[in-house]
């Protein structure tokens, strides 16, 4: 079983729709969970950072972590064409600087 | 501006010709890392460094070398590049803490083609 699983998509949605992305993981030691956004020909940039279980909201973005199910999600409300990018989940264990990445989900928001 | 700077952005080279991709960060980060990104395989860690003169292998270190002589610089060296090292390379840095990883800051990438 891979350490982090992320369905690579791609995912096409109309403008204004809710985008739902998720990752599952196998390492129960993971405690820090992140979502990165990567535009074409650019490096990934940190979008959301959460610690342990729960929800975190930042504008149109909501990150959810369910440690009991080893499942994390990212929701994008009122999606915009500028949200078109690849979204990568990442996670790490306590005391460990190494990040384990998912393969990324390509999202296309159609005007 | 806080950033990770990689050079060059694009590089085409021939098999066996040694090359170096430079990486520099201006955030005084202890932790630096190199990744390669390939379609269907995602980001894979090549090497990382916890601090000056401290480096270790990642998941795919074969064919690569690194050095960390200064805190801000972490060059990636391909002594004898081969076509299977054609890829998109990213350098990343972060604060190093005892609790865990903060978010990484990534460079803009280096697209390497080995013919």
């Amino acid at each position: 079983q891979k350490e982090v699983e992320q369905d690579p998509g791609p995912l096409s949605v109309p403008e204004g729709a809710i985008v739902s992305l998720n990752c599952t993981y196998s390492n129960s030691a993971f405690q820090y969970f992140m979502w990165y956004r990567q535009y074409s020909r650019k490096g990934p940039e940190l979008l959301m950072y959460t610690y342990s279980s729960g929800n975190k909201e930042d504008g149109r973005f909501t990150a959810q972590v369910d440690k009991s199910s080893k499942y994390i999600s990212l929701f994008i409300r009122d999606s915009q064409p500028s949200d078109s990018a690849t979204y990568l989940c990442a996670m790490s264990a306590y005391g460990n600087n190494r990040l384990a990445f998912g393969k990324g989900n390509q999202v296309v928001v159609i005007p | 501006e806080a950033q990770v700077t990689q050079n060059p952005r694009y590089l085409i080279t021939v098999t066996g010709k040694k090359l170096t991709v430079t990486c520099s960060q201006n955030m005084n980060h202890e932790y630096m890392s190199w990744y390669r990104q390939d379609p269907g395989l995602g980001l894979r860690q090549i090497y990382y460094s916890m601090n000056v003169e401290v480096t270790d292998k990642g998941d795919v270190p074969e064919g690569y070398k690194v050095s960390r002589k200064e805190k801000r610089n972490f060059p990636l060296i391909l002594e004898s590049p081969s076509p299977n090292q054609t890829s998109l390379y990213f350098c990343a840095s972060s604060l190093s803490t005892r609790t865990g990883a903060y978010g990484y800051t990534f460079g803009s990438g280096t697209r390497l083609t080995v013919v």
Side-chain angles (χ1 to χ4, degrees):
Chain A
Q1 185 182 7
K2 289 191 176 174
E3 202 170 30
V4 180
E5 299 266 15
Q6 182 178 10
D7 185 347
L11 183 65
S12 291
V13 299
E15 183 175 353
I18 295 175
V19 175
S20 174
L21 306 170
N22 58 74
C23 289
T24 58
Y25 62 94
S26 57
N27 188 346
S28 57
F30 287 150
Q31 294 207 35
Y32 301 92
F33 303 93
M34 287 150 250
W35 287 93
Y36 283 81
R37 178 175 60 195
Q38 185 178 16
Y39 290 116
S40 181
R41 300 190 188 89
K42 298 281 190 183
E45 57 177 337
L46 183 64
L47 187 63
M48 299 286 282
Y49 181 100
T50 54
Y51 169 69
S52 197
S53 285
N55 293 358
K56 184 174 183 179
E57 192 172 314
D58 184 1
R60 297 183 294 110
F61 299 88
T62 300
Q64 289 184 350
V65 175
D66 182 350
K67 289 188 68 181
S68 62
S69 302
K70 297 191 179 69
Y71 186 91
I72 69 171
S73 301
L74 178 71
F75 300 96
I76 308 173
R77 290 184 301 281
D78 187 26
S79 57
Q80 304 294 308
S82 59
D83 295 325
S84 297
T86 296
Y87 292 81
L88 302 100
C89 63
M91 45 200 81
S92 70
Y94 183 91
N96 192 331
N97 287 277
R98 175 184 169 271
L99 282 183
F101 284 90
K103 290 184 179 180
N105 242 143
Q106 185 181 4
V107 173
V108 177
V109 180
I110 302 165
Chain B
E1 180 189 353
Q3 60 186 358
V4 176
T5 303
Q6 289 179 235
N7 280 298
R9 287 295 308 277
Y10 301 92
L11 180 59
I12 301 174
T13 190
V14 295
T15 299
K17 186 177 181 181
K18 181 179 178 180
L19 67 91
T20 299
V21 183
T22 64
C23 174
S24 181
Q25 50 93 5
N26 62 359
M27 295 165 282
N28 203 34
H29 285 168
E30 296 87 4
Y31 186 88
M32 297 186 75
S33 182
W34 277 102
Y35 288 85
R36 59 179 290 174
Q37 188 176 40
D38 301 288
L41 297 176
L43 282 167
R44 294 182 291 168
Q45 190 179 50
I46 303 170
Y47 268 95
Y48 66 94
S49 169
M50 297 292 289
N51 214 322
V52 176
E53 303 291 2
V54 181
T55 63
D56 209 345
K57 296 176 180 179
D59 301 316
V60 289
E62 294 76 23
Y64 304 95
K65 283 175 58 177
V66 293
S67 69
R68 188 91 181 270
K69 293 185 172 61
E70 305 165 282
K71 197 172 187 178
R72 63 183 293 125
N73 295 324
F74 190 45
L76 179 69
I77 303 156
L78 284 72
E79 294 269 2
S80 182
S82 62
N84 65 11
Q85 292 178 298
T86 293
S87 186
L88 180 59
Y89 291 86
F90 289 103
C91 180
S93 74
S94 79
L95 289 171
S96 177
T97 73
R98 285 180 293 173
T99 53
Y102 281 4
Y104 288 4
T105 301
F106 281 86
S108 295
T110 296
R111 184 165 292 282
L112 172 65
T113 302
V114 183
V115 298

